[in-house]
Amino acid sequence: MADRYQKLTSRPAGAFVARRLGLPRPAGLERYRPGQPVARGPVVLGGAAGGRMHKTLRELLESAGAEVLPAEAAAGAGPSVPAGSLVFDATGIDSSARLRALYDFLHPRIRALAPCGRVVVVGTPPEHAAGGPGEAAAQRALEGFVRSVGKELRDGSTAHLLLVAPGAEGGLESTLRFALSARSAYVSGQALRVTGTAPVPATADWERPLAGKTALVTGASRGIGAVVAGTLHRDGAHVVCLDVAAQAAGLRAVADRIGGGALELDITAADAGDRLAGYLDEHHGGVDVVVHNAGVTRDKTLGRMSADQWEAVIGVNLTAVETLTARLLDSGLLRGGGRVVCTSSISGIAGNVGQTNYAASKAGLIGYVQAAAPAAAARGVTVNAVAPGFVETRMTAAVPLVIREAGRRMNSLKQGGLPVDVAEAVAYFAAPGSGAVTGQVLRVCGQALLGA
Amino acid sequence: MADRYQKLTSRPAGAFVARRLGLPRPAGLERYRPGQPVARGPVVLGGAAGGRMHKTLRELLESAGAEVLPAEAAAGAGPSVPAGSLVFDATGIDSSARLRALYDFLHPRIRALAPCGRVVVVGTPPEHAAGGPGEAAAQRALEGFVRSVGKELRDGSTAHLLLVAPGAEGGLESTLRFALSARSAYVSGQALRVTGTAPVPATADWERPLAGKTALVTGASRGIGAVVAGTLHRDGAHVVCLDVAAQAAGLRAVADRIGGGALELDITAADAGDRLAGYLDEHHGGVDVVVHNAGVTRDKTLGRMSADQWEAVIGVNLTAVETLTARLLDSGLLRGGGRVVCTSSISGIAGNVGQTNYAASKAGLIGYVQAAAPAAAARGVTVNAVAPGFVETRMTAAVPLVIREAGRRMNSLKQGGLPVDVAEAVAYFAAPGSGAVTGQVLRVCGQALLGA
């Protein structure tokens, strides 16, 4: 799974040279395997006085099978207890002066964090802070803090900020499990909001949360889409794999491997909505999870870009997503409690040279999920997006070496992500337990330096 | 004003070498000089059908003395007319398919843009789009587009996205002038929101918008603060310069140069609010503009950071800003129509290694301005922040060469900013005409790659 440079620097001689030259030494990231415990090693749980999440966090950690060490016990005299995860309830911090509690908890413990460990800070979305500008400032400060911690951590450890709105505490479980587990191996330094206050369906089996569900994945014949299909299948879903007719062979192979359906369809065709609706209605009576993964690039600087290149990218990446989602929502084929997951991109957040069309389409998806989420919430449907950074695929393998190396190393984990990292984030959004999470854009980028 | 590398590559031999090696060749940026026209060269004005800003834009451009070329005339047969600025009203774009109008306007013209030119796209904040998810997506797409354009532009040209809420059209003038003029030389790829619907005071003299106003600048004895004080003085304000007693000599020199006041004060002292309020009340009966520029760094990774280092940074950069602002607001000393400008940082947006304290404080300021703005709006007070990137100061001159060069070049303009670039952004927020702009965080960073 490691790239060549990563393999080289993992050997003693390579590690020595890299260390002497100050070159990055990417750690091997632990990825999720079914049956694995959620948290790796003991979890130290702390919190600022007055927080509202401490009891919930303890219950969720214990129900996930974690060994929970209280902050008081662990912070005695002598060296602190090495932990697999450090979890801090920061919801009680209502002023900037009280941010000190966060420092006091992490400062003595962070250097003893185990490899591939987790720092998880739980706060309140600043826009939900009821205590005025002082509380909003302190809660927003958490984001600058966690992003810095993510950049300081080594050995594959990552940092997460989970912002839970008052009343949404009951919807945190799936997000906490995602953050703590190896499923989020390539996610770091991100703020995720849990804001839904409607009850979230109980998850009977966290290993197969999608049992009994039907999922649709576009662009499923290869690359990230094929891995997404496989991951949703692993989580229990029946997966309908969709791609254009030109990819029929790959599409069939992916579908056969996971016992799923194969639907050849050009999502930009005028009758695409009709054909998709007809297929889902006839074979499954509807659909529960829709993953818009299909996407194209036609890179040129704006002055040299043809109108066809503009239209192709906007049409596939943005317009088709809007059209098909509206069709499935309006017809009721997307069942109550349904999940829509779009694929944005770091380019859509930061912009990119030669990608005015692509960045516009991927930024448009951010606007789409943010605007579509409130309307869909009435039916328990969530609308979210993943935003991949540099992911090792056949597409990125064709990028010239120097640019490819820059893309791989310019992130906190000093390596590219794998398709499965994107797929795990999609599966997290797709899970019934993630019903309190909507309108979010989750970067899967190893905390890439690039941003807006 | 140019750094040594920039000077070298501006000469023929240096330019040749840089070109052959693929090294960045930063352009000389035109900075604002009093008396200069707002727009450099003719402005081509275009728009998508159904837009609500076209007439306003034409009037504002003409009132700023710009030569306005209509898109129809300029886009005839033959090569397009070279323009100093390309301005496009995108508010009529209500679906992703209609983004094509933006491509059609810029594609044939962008390569002929003059050096230090401007691309200005005017849209609707996606959260104010009344046309549903499709319109919100299209308006959000503008941001990915403009950020990409900013990264593609050369020769010191920049791109701006101005998002005007319905009803706020009358408050656009100061923002449009800032974007078009050399005052925004080091700002690119940013989205600025104009959302206030209350009438904005008319500006009698755009060269001296702060005539008759009193401004307070903290940390004014040197660096960016000294230049901010000078710039507000240039714009007509009487400036009270504040700094700690240890900087008394520099403080006095700055104040004397601009005929301003000098106030020695430790803003973290328990009686700081009382003393500041007393001074402003006694000497000026109040204050109109408050610029929180004072800030400190105490860099260490979290595991090695002392509690004092944590507290010092949070105390000066965040808590003191909250305390003093609250005191001036609550006492009414900050007069109606007042302006508060905080100094955030790219580190507060993206996080930074060794700066968990600094990034927390600067992120906290983002939360502060966003939360304080709505409450202050009732009295016509705005609360905004600038977020500098790499700025050439005595502080950054002390940074090791390689890191300094990376900081300088990793942005769309391939150079560091100057203190005056930050000062111009502060002056823009401080102007009475900017009353419709509040709760904003404006990056002054040459569109640095770093982000969240």
Side-chain angles (χ1 to χ4, degrees):
Chain A
M1 312 243 283
D3 60 70
R4 283 175 63 189
Y5 174 87
Q6 193 176 345
K7 280 185 193 141
L8 192 70
T9 55
S10 71
R11 295 181 196 132
F16 176 80
V17 172
R19 194 162 47 235
R20 293 300 291 265
L21 293 177
L23 295 174
R25 287 178 295 144
L29 302 183
E30 187 185 33
R31 260 81 183 196
Y32 174 72
R33 297 179 311 278
Q36 203 177 42
V38 172
R40 179 182 162 129
V43 179
V44 183
L45 174 63
R52 62 190 157 80
M53 295 303 302
H54 201 87
K55 182 160 163 286
T56 302
L57 287 169
R58 168 173 299 281
E59 289 169 0
L60 294 181
L61 288 168
E62 287 174 350
S63 114
E67 179 194 356
V68 183
L69 306 178
E72 308 75 43
S80 52
V81 176
S85 299
L86 301 169
V87 178
F88 189 80
D89 171 16
T91 57
I93 298 179
D94 55 4
S95 72
S96 51
R98 295 194 58 222
L99 286 164
R100 173 67 188 272
L102 182 57
Y103 166 87
D104 287 339
F105 176 74
L106 285 175
H107 161 70
R109 295 184 174 90
I110 196 159
R111 289 167 68 191
L113 189 65
C116 297
R118 296 287 184 267
V119 172
V120 179
V121 177
V122 179
T124 302
E127 65 276 17
H128 289 269
E135 184 183 355
Q139 291 295 320
R140 185 62 173 75
L142 301 177
E143 190 173 322
F145 179 86
V146 168
R147 290 189 192 277
S148 300
V149 169
K151 292 184 176 185
E152 291 186 2
L153 287 170
R154 312 226 158 191
D155 300 325
S157 293
T158 56
H160 300 265
L161 176 60
L162 311 184
L163 298 171
V164 184
E169 295 82 0
L172 175 61
E173 186 164 16
S174 73
T175 301
L176 181 65
R177 284 174 174 254
F178 175 72
L180 286 173
S181 75
R183 293 179 195 249
S184 64
Y186 198 62
V187 176
S188 190
Q190 304 307 306
L192 254 173
R193 280 167 165 75
V194 179
T195 57
T197 53
V200 168
T203 300
D205 181 356
W206 286 98
E207 296 276 319
R208 289 177 59 81
L210 295 175
K213 304 287 186 185
T214 299
L216 170 75
V217 180
T218 69
S221 68
R222 57 180 179 168
I224 294 173
V227 180
V228 169
T231 303
L232 298 182
H233 166 70
R234 177 203 71 189
D235 281 1
H238 174 85
V239 182
V240 175
C241 303
L242 181 155
D243 216 316
V244 290
Q247 303 293 337
L251 181 67
R252 172 54 58 194
V254 169
D256 285 353
R257 201 157 58 227
I258 62 175
L263 175 59
E264 293 173 26
L265 184 66
D266 173 0
I267 57 173
T268 64
D271 66 346
D274 288 343
R275 285 193 51 207
L276 177 61
Y279 178 94
L280 294 172
D281 193 17
E282 181 185 345
H283 291 82
H284 306 286
V287 67
D288 302 288
V289 176
V290 176
V291 182
H292 294 290
N293 165 77
V296 297
T297 56
R298 297 285 185 278
D299 294 0
K300 282 283 177 189
T301 56
L302 183 57
R304 298 176 190 279
M305 182 182 289
S306 72
D308 284 352
Q309 290 172 321
W310 176 270
E311 299 248 336
V313 169
I314 299 290
V316 172
N317 296 6
L318 182 53
T319 313
V321 170
E322 298 171 348
T323 306
L324 295 186
T325 307
R327 175 62 183 261
L328 296 174
L329 273 172
D330 297 347
S331 63
L333 281 170
L334 184 61
R335 288 187 272 259
R339 302 282 179 260
V340 178
V341 186
C342 301
T343 307
S344 183
S345 161
I346 287 194
S347 284
I349 295 169
N352 197 12
V353 171
Q355 296 199 314
T356 49
N357 50 0
Y358 186 78
S361 73
K362 297 300 189 179
L365 289 172
I366 295 173
Y368 181 75
V369 304
Q370 290 175 341
R379 292 182 55 232
V381 172
T382 68
V383 188
N384 293 289
V386 292
F390 186 96
V391 175
E392 306 281 355
T393 62
R394 198 160 57 179
M395 194 168 79
T396 52
V399 169
L401 177 73
V402 173
I403 296 175
R404 189 169 73 230
E405 274 302 298
R408 270 181 184 146
R409 307 302 162 208
M410 282 174 62
N411 59 69
S412 295
L413 295 167
K414 311 295 182 204
Q415 59 194 286
L418 301 180
V420 72
D421 297 322
V422 181
E424 295 287 9
V426 170
Y428 151 65
F429 281 133
S434 300
V437 183
T438 192
Q440 300 299 299
V441 179
L442 178 60
R443 285 173 61 140
V444 183
C445 65
Q447 196 178 24
L449 294 182
L450 298 183
Chain B
M1 311 245 283
D3 61 71
R4 282 173 64 189
Y5 175 87
Q6 194 176 345
K7 279 185 193 140
L8 191 71
T9 55
S10 71
R11 293 181 197 130
F16 176 79
V17 172
R19 195 162 45 235
R20 293 298 292 264
L21 293 177
L23 296 173
R25 285 178 296 145
L29 301 185
E30 187 184 34
R31 259 81 182 195
Y32 173 72
R33 296 180 310 277
Q36 203 178 43
V38 172
R40 181 183 160 128
V43 179
V44 183
L45 175 62
R52 64 191 154 80
M53 294 303 300
H54 201 87
K55 182 161 162 285
T56 302
L57 287 169
R58 168 174 297 280
E59 288 168 1
L60 294 181
L61 289 168
E62 286 173 351
S63 114
E67 179 193 357
V68 183
L69 307 177
E72 309 74 43
S80 52
V81 176
S85 299
L86 301 169
V87 178
F88 189 80
D89 171 16
T91 58
I93 297 178
D94 56 4
S95 72
S96 52
R98 294 194 57 220
L99 287 165
R100 173 68 188 273
L102 182 58
Y103 167 86
D104 287 340
F105 176 73
L106 286 175
H107 161 69
R109 295 185 174 90
I110 196 159
R111 290 167 69 192
L113 190 65
C116 296
R118 296 287 183 267
V119 172
V120 179
V121 176
V122 179
T124 301
E127 64 276 18
H128 289 268
E135 184 183 355
Q139 292 295 318
R140 185 62 175 73
L142 301 177
E143 190 174 322
F145 178 86
V146 167
R147 290 191 192 276
S148 299
V149 168
K151 292 184 176 184
E152 292 186 1
L153 287 171
R154 311 226 158 189
D155 301 324
S157 293
T158 57
H160 301 265
L161 176 60
L162 311 183
L163 298 172
V164 184
E169 294 82 0
L172 175 61
E173 187 164 16
S174 73
T175 302
L176 181 67
R177 283 174 175 253
F178 176 72
L180 286 173
S181 76
R183 293 179 195 251
S184 64
Y186 199 61
V187 176
S188 190
Q190 305 307 305
L192 255 173
R193 279 167 165 74
V194 179
T195 57
T197 52
V200 168
T203 300
D205 181 356
W206 286 98
E207 295 277 320
R208 288 176 60 81
L210 295 175
K213 304 286 186 186
T214 299
L216 170 76
V217 180
T218 69
S221 69
R222 57 180 178 168
I224 293 174
V227 180
V228 169
T231 302
L232 298 182
H233 166 69
R234 178 203 69 189
D235 281 0
H238 175 84
V239 183
V240 176
C241 303
L242 182 154
D243 217 316
V244 291
Q247 302 293 337
L251 180 66
R252 173 53 59 193
V254 170
D256 285 352
R257 200 157 59 227
I258 61 173
L263 174 59
E264 292 173 27
L265 184 68
D266 173 0
I267 57 173
T268 65
D271 66 346
D274 289 343
R275 287 194 50 210
L276 177 60
Y279 179 95
L280 293 172
D281 193 16
E282 181 185 343
H283 291 81
H284 306 286
V287 67
D288 302 290
V289 176
V290 177
V291 182
H292 294 291
N293 165 77
V296 296
T297 57
R298 297 285 186 277
D299 294 0
K300 282 281 177 192
T301 55
L302 183 58
R304 297 176 189 278
M305 182 181 290
S306 72
D308 285 351
Q309 291 172 320
W310 176 269
E311 299 248 338
V313 169
I314 298 290
V316 172
N317 296 5
L318 181 53
T319 312
V321 169
E322 298 171 349
T323 306
L324 296 185
T325 306
R327 175 62 184 260
L328 296 175
L329 272 172
D330 296 348
S331 63
L333 281 170
L334 183 61
R335 287 187 272 261
R339 303 280 179 263
V340 178
V341 186
C342 301
T343 307
S344 183
S345 161
I346 287 194
S347 284
I349 295 169
N352 197 12
V353 171
Q355 297 201 312
T356 48
N357 51 359
Y358 187 78
S361 73
K362 296 300 190 180
L365 289 172
I366 296 173
Y368 181 75
V369 304
Q370 291 175 342
R379 293 182 54 232
V381 172
T382 67
V383 188
N384 293 289
V386 293
F390 186 95
V391 175
E392 305 282 356
T393 63
R394 199 160 56 179
M395 194 168 80
T396 51
V399 169
L401 177 72
V402 172
I403 297 175
R404 191 168 73 230
E405 274 302 298
R408 270 183 184 145
R409 309 299 163 210
M410 281 173 61
N411 59 68
S412 295
L413 295 167
K414 311 295 182 205
Q415 58 195 288
L418 301 179
V420 72
D421 297 322
V422 180
E424 294 287 8
V426 170
Y428 151 66
F429 280 133
S434 300
V437 183
T438 192
Q440 300 299 298
V441 180
L442 178 59
R443 286 174 60 140
V444 183
C445 64
Q447 195 177 25
L449 294 182
L450 298 182

Coordinates of all heavy atoms in Angstrom, one line a residue, chain A residues 286-321:
Chain A
G286 N -36.8 1.4 -4.7 CA -36.2 2.6 -4.2 C -34.7 2.4 -3.9 O -34.1 1.5 -4.3
V287 N -34.2 3.4 -3.2 CA -32.7 3.4 -2.9 C -32.5 4.1 -1.5 O -33.3 5.0 -1.1 CB -31.9 4.0 -4.0 CG1 -32.2 5.5 -4.1 CG2 -30.4 3.7 -3.9
D288 N -31.5 3.6 -0.8 CA -31.2 4.2 0.5 C -30.0 5.1 0.6 O -30.0 6.1 1.3 CB -31.0 3.1 1.6 CG -32.2 2.2 1.6 OD1 -33.3 2.6 2.1 OD2 -32.2 1.1 1.1
V289 N -29.0 4.8 -0.3 CA -27.8 5.5 -0.3 C -27.4 5.9 -1.7 O -27.4 5.0 -2.5 CB -26.6 4.7 0.4 CG1 -25.3 5.4 0.3 CG2 -27.0 4.3 1.8
V290 N -27.1 7.1 -2.0 CA -26.7 7.5 -3.3 C -25.3 8.2 -3.2 O -25.2 9.2 -2.5 CB -27.7 8.5 -3.9 CG1 -27.2 9.0 -5.3 CG2 -29.1 7.9 -4.1
V291 N -24.3 7.6 -3.8 CA -23.0 8.1 -3.8 C -22.6 8.6 -5.2 O -22.5 7.9 -6.1 CB -21.9 7.0 -3.4 CG1 -20.5 7.7 -3.3 CG2 -22.3 6.4 -2.0
H292 N -22.5 10.0 -5.3 CA -22.2 10.6 -6.6 C -20.6 10.6 -6.6 O -20.0 11.6 -6.1 CB -22.7 12.0 -6.6 CG -24.2 12.1 -6.7 ND1 -24.9 11.7 -7.8 CD2 -25.1 12.5 -5.8 CE1 -26.2 11.9 -7.6 NE2 -26.4 12.4 -6.4
N293 N -20.1 9.6 -7.2 CA -18.6 9.5 -7.3 C -18.1 9.8 -8.7 O -17.0 10.3 -8.9 CB -18.2 8.1 -6.9 CG -16.8 7.8 -7.3 OD1 -15.8 8.2 -6.7 ND2 -16.6 7.1 -8.4
A294 N -19.0 9.7 -9.7 CA -18.5 9.9 -11.1 C -18.0 11.3 -11.3 O -18.7 12.3 -10.8 CB -19.7 9.6 -12.1
G295 N -16.9 11.5 -12.0 CA -16.4 12.9 -12.2 C -15.4 12.8 -13.3 O -14.8 11.8 -13.6
V296 N -15.2 14.0 -14.0 CA -14.2 14.0 -15.1 C -13.4 15.3 -14.9 O -13.8 16.2 -14.2 CB -14.9 14.1 -16.4 CG1 -15.7 12.8 -16.7 CG2 -15.8 15.3 -16.6
T297 N -12.2 15.3 -15.5 CA -11.4 16.5 -15.6 C -11.1 16.8 -17.0 O -11.1 15.9 -17.9 CB -10.0 16.3 -14.9 OG1 -9.4 15.2 -15.4 CG2 -10.2 16.1 -13.4
R298 N -11.1 18.1 -17.3 CA -10.6 18.6 -18.7 C -9.8 19.8 -18.4 O -10.2 20.9 -18.5 CB -11.8 19.0 -19.5 CG -12.8 17.8 -19.9 CD -12.3 16.9 -20.9 NE -13.3 15.9 -21.3 CZ -13.6 14.8 -20.6 NH1 -12.9 14.5 -19.5 NH2 -14.5 14.0 -21.1
D299 N -8.5 19.6 -18.0 CA -7.7 20.7 -17.5 C -7.1 21.5 -18.6 O -6.5 21.0 -19.5 CB -6.5 20.1 -16.7 CG -7.0 19.4 -15.4 OD1 -8.2 19.4 -15.1 OD2 -6.1 18.9 -14.6
K300 N -7.3 22.8 -18.5 CA -6.7 23.8 -19.3 C -6.8 25.2 -18.6 O -7.8 25.4 -17.9 CB -7.5 24.0 -20.7 CG -7.2 22.9 -21.7 CD -5.9 23.2 -22.4 CE -5.6 22.0 -23.4 NZ -4.2 22.1 -23.9
T301 N -5.9 26.1 -18.7 CA -6.1 27.4 -18.2 C -7.3 28.0 -18.9 O -7.6 27.7 -20.0 CB -4.9 28.3 -18.3 OG1 -4.5 28.3 -19.7 CG2 -3.7 27.7 -17.5
L302 N -8.0 29.0 -18.2 CA -9.2 29.5 -18.7 C -9.1 30.1 -20.1 O -10.0 29.9 -21.0 CB -9.7 30.6 -17.7 CG -11.1 31.2 -18.1 CD1 -12.2 30.1 -18.1 CD2 -11.4 32.2 -17.0
G303 N -8.0 30.8 -20.4 CA -7.8 31.4 -21.7 C -7.7 30.4 -22.8 O -7.9 30.7 -24.0
R304 N -7.3 29.1 -22.5 CA -7.1 28.1 -23.5 C -8.2 27.0 -23.4 O -8.1 26.0 -24.2 CB -5.7 27.4 -23.4 CG -4.6 28.4 -23.6 CD -3.3 27.8 -23.3 NE -2.2 28.8 -23.3 CZ -1.7 29.3 -24.4 NH1 -2.0 28.9 -25.6 NH2 -0.7 30.3 -24.3
M305 N -9.1 27.1 -22.6 CA -10.1 26.1 -22.4 C -11.2 26.2 -23.4 O -11.8 27.3 -23.6 CB -10.7 26.2 -20.9 CG -11.7 25.1 -20.6 SD -12.4 25.4 -18.9 CE -10.9 25.0 -17.9
S306 N -11.6 25.1 -24.0 CA -12.7 25.2 -25.0 C -14.1 25.1 -24.3 O -14.1 24.7 -23.1 CB -12.6 24.0 -26.0 OG -13.0 22.8 -25.3
A307 N -15.1 25.6 -24.9 CA -16.4 25.6 -24.3 C -16.8 24.2 -24.1 O -17.5 23.9 -23.0 CB -17.4 26.3 -25.3
D308 N -16.4 23.2 -24.9 CA -16.8 21.8 -24.6 C -16.1 21.3 -23.4 O -16.7 20.5 -22.6 CB -16.3 20.9 -25.8 CG -17.2 21.1 -27.0 OD1 -18.3 21.7 -26.9 OD2 -16.8 20.6 -28.1
Q309 N -14.9 21.7 -23.1 CA -14.2 21.3 -21.9 C -14.9 21.9 -20.7 O -15.0 21.2 -19.6 CB -12.7 21.7 -21.9 CG -11.9 21.0 -23.0 CD -10.5 21.5 -23.2 OE1 -10.3 22.7 -23.2 NE2 -9.6 20.6 -23.4
W310 N -15.3 23.1 -20.8 CA -16.1 23.7 -19.7 C -17.4 22.9 -19.4 O -17.7 22.5 -18.3 CB -16.4 25.2 -20.0 CG -17.3 25.8 -19.0 CD1 -18.7 25.8 -18.9 CD2 -16.8 26.5 -17.8 NE1 -19.1 26.5 -17.8 CE2 -18.0 26.9 -17.1 CE3 -15.6 26.7 -17.2 CZ2 -17.9 27.6 -15.9 CZ3 -15.5 27.4 -16.0 CH2 -16.7 27.8 -15.3
E311 N -18.1 22.7 -20.5 CA -19.5 22.1 -20.3 C -19.4 20.6 -19.9 O -20.2 20.2 -19.1 CB -20.2 22.1 -21.7 CG -20.4 23.6 -22.2 CD -21.9 24.0 -22.2 OE1 -22.7 23.1 -22.2 OE2 -22.2 25.2 -22.1
A312 N -18.4 19.9 -20.4 CA -18.3 18.5 -20.0 C -18.1 18.4 -18.5 O -18.8 17.5 -17.8 CB -17.1 17.8 -20.7
V313 N -17.2 19.2 -17.9 CA -16.9 19.0 -16.5 C -18.1 19.5 -15.6 O -18.5 18.8 -14.7 CB -15.6 19.8 -16.2 CG1 -15.4 19.9 -14.7 CG2 -14.4 19.1 -16.8
I314 N -18.7 20.7 -16.0 CA -19.8 21.2 -15.2 C -21.0 20.2 -15.3 O -21.6 19.9 -14.3 CB -20.2 22.6 -15.7 CG1 -19.1 23.6 -15.5 CG2 -21.5 23.0 -15.0 CD1 -18.8 24.0 -14.1
G315 N -21.2 19.6 -16.5 CA -22.3 18.8 -16.7 C -22.2 17.5 -15.9 O -23.2 17.1 -15.3
V316 N -21.1 16.8 -16.0 CA -21.0 15.5 -15.3 C -20.8 15.7 -13.7 O -21.5 15.1 -12.9 CB -19.7 14.7 -15.7 CG1 -19.5 13.5 -14.9 CG2 -19.9 14.3 -17.2
N317 N -20.0 16.7 -13.4 CA -19.6 16.8 -11.9 C -20.7 17.5 -11.1 O -20.7 17.3 -9.9 CB -18.3 17.5 -11.8 CG -17.1 16.8 -12.4 OD1 -17.3 15.8 -13.0 ND2 -15.9 17.3 -12.2
L318 N -21.4 18.4 -11.7 CA -22.3 19.2 -10.9 C -23.8 19.1 -11.4 O -24.7 18.7 -10.6 CB -21.9 20.7 -11.0 CG -22.7 21.7 -10.1 CD1 -22.9 21.2 -8.7 CD2 -22.1 23.1 -10.2
T319 N -24.1 19.4 -12.7 CA -25.5 19.4 -13.1 C -26.1 18.0 -13.0 O -27.3 17.9 -12.5 CB -25.6 19.9 -14.6 OG1 -24.8 21.1 -14.7 CG2 -27.0 20.2 -14.9
A320 N -25.4 17.0 -13.4 CA -26.0 15.6 -13.3 C -26.3 15.2 -11.8 O -27.3 14.6 -11.6 CB -25.0 14.6 -13.9
V321 N -25.4 15.7 -10.9 CA -25.6 15.4 -9.5 C -26.9 16.0 -9.0 O -27.7 15.4 -8.3 CB -24.4 15.8 -8.7 CG1 -24.7 15.8 -7.2 CG2 -23.2 15.0 -9.0

